[in-house]
Amino acid sequence: MVIEWLAGKVIACGVSMVESIVGQSEQSRSPVLEIQDLAKHFPVRGGFLSRVSANVYAVDGVSFSIQAGETLGLVGESGCGKSTVGKTVLRLLDPTAGRVILNGEDITKVPRESLREQRRQMQIVFQDPYSSLNPRMPSGKIVGEPLENYGLKSGKAKDEAVVALFERVGLRAEQAAKYPHEFSGGQRQRLGIARALALNPDLIVADEPVSALDVSVQAQVINLLMDLQRELNLAYLFISHDLAVVEHISHRIAVMYLGKIVELTDKRSLFEAPQHPYTEALLSAVPVPDPTQKRDRIILRGDVPSPMNPPPGCTFHTRCPYVEDICRVEVPPLQEVRPSHYAACHLREAISS
Ligand code: SF4
């Protein structure tokens, strides 16, 4: 069914999803989102005059791009900076340095109050839909609110668009009268997705969108997101700590550690031939569905260091089982180590040979 509110959006039926996405230099189409050397540092103030005494280096020199119809998974342990990347992309936080380019437009310096049109093009789906939905509003009003705010639809046309959105995410039209607390967790996440879709965005930042859900419901929501991507050619930045979930939905995966990307490639290369010791360790903890296959678990020593005082050289050196002297002094660049496979490790060749 062709739905009126979807007019203008190219339905990508019959077009296969991006199978293998290559690095920025090889992209033939302009990406929906491109971030270049993005940094977000939070000043820590203290003392009598509240002077800046330190910085939290939450994101430090992150670059990637996402095409229409593509999902980039952003993974890493809690506190690695992945959610800060998402918020900075959406300009909920102002970057300290670097550029955010949305549909070819550098939005880094656009004042927040002038970002109205750009905000229409990019939407967010939160981890906890309940706290992002107004508990005193009927769900139909919540989903239709962006249409009214942007002056796109009102009255009967808006009601019809809301019904179409409900049905599109697997909810029933009559549920529009219910309040958020009357829905299950999975249904609330569907509401959050419907609201995100209302403005017909090009990019959705999904920040741990299924972490709070039961496993069976997780699969339903992931499948819904994948169906929507196929139909609407959406670009997703999918942020998660769960590699198994990210493997299912992503085309490419970026692994973050202490504010930096340490590995970036398509999901098959990442899972079959990881090129960074941190990725190796993360993958060793992913359960294998075949009980006859055993994976040796790599246990990392110690905790993630504080982003206020990241270690010199390779920031992973305090936990890396392969560490050598060079790792403690020189920052390894993120470089192409195999076709379209990027990793930041001085000793990659020695480790993989
Ligand atoms: Fe480990 Fe050194 Fe590679 Fe860092 S550069 S991941 S410390 S081997």
Side-chain angles (χ1 to χ4, degrees):
M1 186 176 77
V2 179
I3 299 165
E4 190 197 340
W5 63 270
L6 287 177
K9 175 67 77 178
V10 177
I11 308 295
C13 293
V15 180
S16 66
M17 291 206 299
V18 183
E19 292 286 341
S20 171
I21 305 295
V22 293
Q24 285 177 17
S25 57
E26 293 165 283
Q27 306 280 11
S28 53
R29 295 168 291 144
S30 26
V32 172
L33 174 72
E34 188 175 352
I35 66 172
Q36 299 172 349
D37 269 329
L38 192 71
K40 180 63 193 174
H41 304 163
F42 296 97
V44 179
R45 294 177 187 277
F48 178 59
L49 294 171
S50 279
R51 291 218 170 96
V52 175
S53 55
N55 277 299
V56 175
Y57 299 94
V59 177
D60 207 13
V62 166
S63 302
F64 58 73
S65 60
I66 312 178
Q67 298 283 346
E70 185 192 17
T71 300
L72 179 77
L74 195 56
V75 291
E77 288 164 289
S78 154
C80 70
K82 53 192 189 305
S83 289
T84 306
V85 169
K87 288 184 185 134
T88 314
V89 162
L90 292 161
R91 288 290 311 276
L92 300 174
L93 294 170
D94 288 330
T96 307
R99 301 207 303 160
V100 178
I101 299 164
L102 180 70
N103 285 324
E105 181 190 5
D106 184 352
I107 63 166
T108 324
K109 299 277 185 313
V110 179
R112 280 210 213 172
E113 58 280 7
S114 309
L115 278 169
R116 193 172 158 79
E117 171 49 29
Q118 292 83 353
R119 290 206 193 286
R120 192 198 62 70
Q121 296 170 40
M122 51 184 182
Q123 293 289 306
I124 186 165
V125 173
F126 294 98
Q127 173 179 358
D128 178 7
Y130 197 49
S131 59
S132 64
L133 302 173
N134 186 338
R136 285 190 282 272
M137 244 189 213
S139 55
K141 199 159 171 30
I142 291 173
V143 171
E145 195 181 33
L147 293 169
E148 251 178 52
N149 289 348
Y150 274 77
L152 298 176
K153 298 243 192 278
S154 60
K156 193 162 175 280
K158 188 196 76 178
D159 294 343
E160 284 171 3
V162 168
V163 168
L165 283 162
F166 265 62
E167 289 174 350
R168 188 61 209 81
V169 299
L171 295 170
R172 295 189 313 279
E174 61 269 24
Q175 290 177 303
K178 289 188 168 184
Y179 287 80
H181 72 271
E182 297 177 86
F183 290 88
S184 67
Q187 287 174 327
R188 279 199 289 266
Q189 196 53 292
R190 287 172 192 269
L191 273 181
I193 294 169
R195 185 181 160 96
L197 287 178
L199 293 176
N200 202 14
D202 300 309
L203 169 73
I204 289 185
V205 175
D207 190 357
E208 301 273 10
V210 295
S211 312
L213 305 176
D214 291 345
V215 175
S216 59
V217 182
Q218 282 187 3
Q220 292 168 14
V221 172
I222 292 286
N223 288 339
L224 171 65
L225 286 169
M226 292 172 79
D227 287 347
L228 291 168
Q229 181 174 61
R230 268 191 290 271
E231 290 172 28
L232 307 175
N233 211 24
L234 292 163
Y236 291 151
L237 174 59
F238 191 94
I239 298 166
S240 177
H241 67 280
D242 188 336
L243 259 171
V245 169
V246 165
E247 180 189 15
H248 191 64
I249 193 170
S250 304
H251 300 99
R252 284 185 302 145
I253 297 174
V255 180
M256 273 190 86
Y257 186 79
L258 266 189
K260 293 181 190 298
I261 289 180
V262 296
E263 186 155 5
L264 170 60
T265 188
D266 65 89
K267 73 171 167 193
R268 185 179 297 176
S269 301
L270 191 94
F271 276 78
E272 287 179 0
Q275 299 291 308
H276 194 281
Y278 179 57
T279 314
E280 255 184 9
L282 289 182
L283 288 178
S284 76
V286 176
V288 187
D290 182 351
T292 61
Q293 278 191 347
K294 269 196 114 184
R295 203 180 250 164
D296 291 332
R297 177 91 194 261
I298 301 169
I299 309 285
L300 294 175
R301 291 172 294 152
D303 294 325
V304 182
S306 165
M308 220 150 81
N309 189 19
C314 172
T315 51
F316 186 56
H317 84 248
T318 54
R319 304 171 80 198
C320 181
Y322 307 104
V323 59
E324 291 201 2
D325 288 348
I326 185 175
C327 310
R328 297 188 178 92
V329 287
E330 267 186 40
V331 178
L334 185 69
Q335 54 193 0
E336 193 168 19
V337 293
R338 297 166 54 160
S340 303
H341 193 147
Y342 300 82
C345 175
H346 291 304
L347 308 177
R348 186 202 61 82
E349 279 179 24
I351 293 167
S352 55
S353 63

